[in-house]
Structures are given as C-alpha cells and as structure tokens.
Amino acid sequence: MFKINDNYLKLPGSYLFSTIGKKVKAFQEANPDKEIIRLGIGDVTQPLAPAIIERLHAAVSEMGVQETFKGYAPDLGYEFLRSAIVENDYKARGVDISIDEVFVSDGAKCDSGNIQEIFALGNKIAVCDPVYPVYVDSNVMAGRTGTYDAATGLWSDVIYMPCKEENGFAPELPDVVPDIIYLCFPNNPTGATITKDQLQKWVDYANANHSVIIYDAAYEAYISEANVPHTIYECDGAKTCAIELRSFSKNAGFTGTRLGFTVIPKDLKDADGVALNALWARRHGTKYNGAPYIVQAAGAEVYSKAGKEQTAKQIAYYMNNAKYIYSGLKDAGYSVSGGVNAPYIWLKTPDNMTSWDFFDYLLEKANVVGTPGSGFGPSGEGYFRLTAFGTYENTVKAVDRIKAL
Ligand SMILES: *Cc1c(COP(=O)(O)O)cnc(C)c1O
C-alpha cells in the first residue's frame, strides 16, 4: 500500500492567483461590456527580441543537419553559454566566478524550489515577508517548516522577516539565527532593493554564523541606481556563504522559452568542509538533462551586442511603464514604493482597506486587476502590487482610471 508524502497536504493551496482568476472571470461575465486591464501577474508581454529569434531559427536549423546536430546537452550547460555568463554577468562587474561554478537550468523557479534538497531537514529557513511563495512552499513539501497557522498565515518553524514601510521594505538581521536565508533583490513583490552596504551586512552575518544565503537576482537587469548590487558576489566574503539564482525570464523575455542558472562557488562549504558545488553537480547530473541546445544558443545571444541593445530597450519600455504607474499613483495621493529598480510598484491601500478589499474596489470601480499584497505573506496585508509588464497604452489607461476614482 503506497503512502503519499503528506507534507503536500499541509500546503494551503495556490490560493492567490486562482482566487484572482475566479473573481476576474465572475466580474467579466457580469459586466461583459467592461474592458478589464490586467496589471497583476509577473509575466512579460514584449515578444522575444529579433536577434534572439534569429539565433533560435539558426539553432533549430543546426539540429536538422548531421554535422551540427546535438543530442543531450551537457548536464551543467554548454560551455559557450557558461563562459558568456561568467564574462558578462560577473567579470564585467569585477567579480571572479569560474565556469564550473555556473549551473545552467531551465529557470530560477525550478532552481529556487529544488536547491533546498541539498540541505538537511533540520535546517531553519528565514524568508522575507512578503515572500515569493516558492521559497516557503518547496520547504513545506520537504517537511522543513512545521505547522501552518491559518489565522496568521505563518509556519511554525520559519523565521519571517517583515518588510514594511517602517524598514524601507528591507529585512532586519533576525535574532534567532537561521541556517538558510532567502533574499530576493530587486524584490518581488515589493520592488524594493538594498544597497551594497546593506547586503554586505547579510554576508558578514551569514559568514559569522555559518548560514547560507540563497540570493534570487532574477530582476537584476532592472537595477538603475548605482549603489544597488547586481550580484551578491560584489560583497566581500560572499563566495563562502552565498548561492545566486539568475534567470533569462525577466531580462530577456524567456518566461515561455525557459532558461536560468545558479552560481555555487567552490569555496561554499558546510561546517565539515563538504562543498555544495559538488553536491549540486551530483543532483543536477542525476535529476536533470540540461536546458535545450536551441534555448541555450538563444541565451548566449542575449549577451551579443544586438542582444544587449534589444533587451535593454524592452527593459526601458517596462520601466517607463513603472515610472508612469509610480508617479501617477503618487500624484493621486497613494503611498507608493518600488518601480525604480524593479518592474513592480507596491502601494499602500487607502483608508486602511485590506488588500482583498482594495482588489475588489479596483476591479469594480476601475476594472483594473492587481495582486493583493496579503497573498505574499502576512506583512503584505494592506499593500497591493501592480506590475509594469503591460503595454504602455494599457498602463496609461489603467493609471488614469485609478487617478479618476
Ligand atoms: C519571475 C521570477 C523568477 C524567474 O523564474 P523563472 O523560472 O526563471 O521564469 C525567479 N524568482 C522570482 C522572485 C521571480 O519573480
């Protein structure tokens, strides 16, 4: 008789986006003449850049020719892509990462969900609150989080680090020392960033306590301010305490194409001297057969001159939307943050409305869909996320409707 992994039964379910979907559908059915604008989900809308499309076509053709056909990709990624990553994402920023510290994958969601596998069950995790749900849910599935309290939305064994207006949406060093610390900057959902000095404090804290930081830098390409680090390895000592997750989804529109990578420095070891790099290589080799050649070829093209120019234009397009949302809401009297180094605008709901009340209000009165902050964790209550990933025309229309309320 088989038994299931009953940790899965502890999960409260993917409440957030399914509830949004249901509410929007019901509203549209009741109001078929209303035009709904969606500024809710964190997915890009601009098509892949021409240089990337061209490279995809060429790579597909290579697969149909005997001499250039490729079978299984190397487990850890093609060297041409790993070296482009090392040169452009690290060497160009004065950071020395070697090719064998880079693990190519099909995206940062998988990596952020899977990376907990190489750590012992007894490890204590710390997350920012609000949080990208994958960090917590993947640890729930593993059985590392204790019990769920539906009233508070908190797991008994997780250390939550509240990120609110009072602390500039930056977590504070916890008193109870976690073993694994998840940080995501620029942040989804708040759009907040921390400075290099602030991140250095986390690196020092992790090294002093022999904790590991899992640093999600999926939104690195949106950074516009000079004192915001593009990679955690800009901080001294990060190679002995940090894993970095990166993705081609938000910087180059690969959400549907799938490509990402994880960096695990060889100097990152547990208290007994076991290197995490070797463990992750073993795990990758056992459970993963590599991102497709075609996609990796297209990924390398992101680093070409044309690729860089064209993807930078897309990011500028989204950030122009972000600016419009930010300043429009500010003009309308809202308390807003984010939107400067990230495609997310985080606003405080007016008149102490709950996040869900404001969701309903915006849907009914402005026909605009956003994401309730409380869906990302208890500290998100009273906040609301709008994304800059829509078209400019829809963004303008949505903001103007909100301003007119
Ligand atoms: C979008 C996103 C990612 C990227 O996920 P992919 O699987 O690479 O598409 C990673 N982390 C966060 C916080 C994100 O919002």
Side-chain angles (χ1 to χ4, degrees), residues 107-110 132 135 184 188 216 218-219 247 249-250 258-259 344:
K109 184 179 189 176
C110 284
Y132 181 59
Y135 311 150
C184 171
N188 178 13
D216 187 338
Y219 295 94
S247 166
S249 286
K250 314 295 169 26
R258 310 305 308 139
L259 193 64
Y344 296 117

Side-chain angles (χ1 to χ4, degrees), residues 323-336 399 403:
K323 209 167 155 185
Y324 195 88
I325 300 172
Y326 184 96
S327 54
L329 294 180
K330 211 161 183 121
D331 288 350
Y334 286 89
S335 165
V336 277
V399 171
K403 282 169 85 168

Side-chain angles (χ1 to χ4, degrees), residues 142-157:
R144 198 177 280 116
T145 45
T147 51
Y148 185 65
D149 180 348
T152 59
L154 300 175
W155 292 91
S156 60
D157 288 354

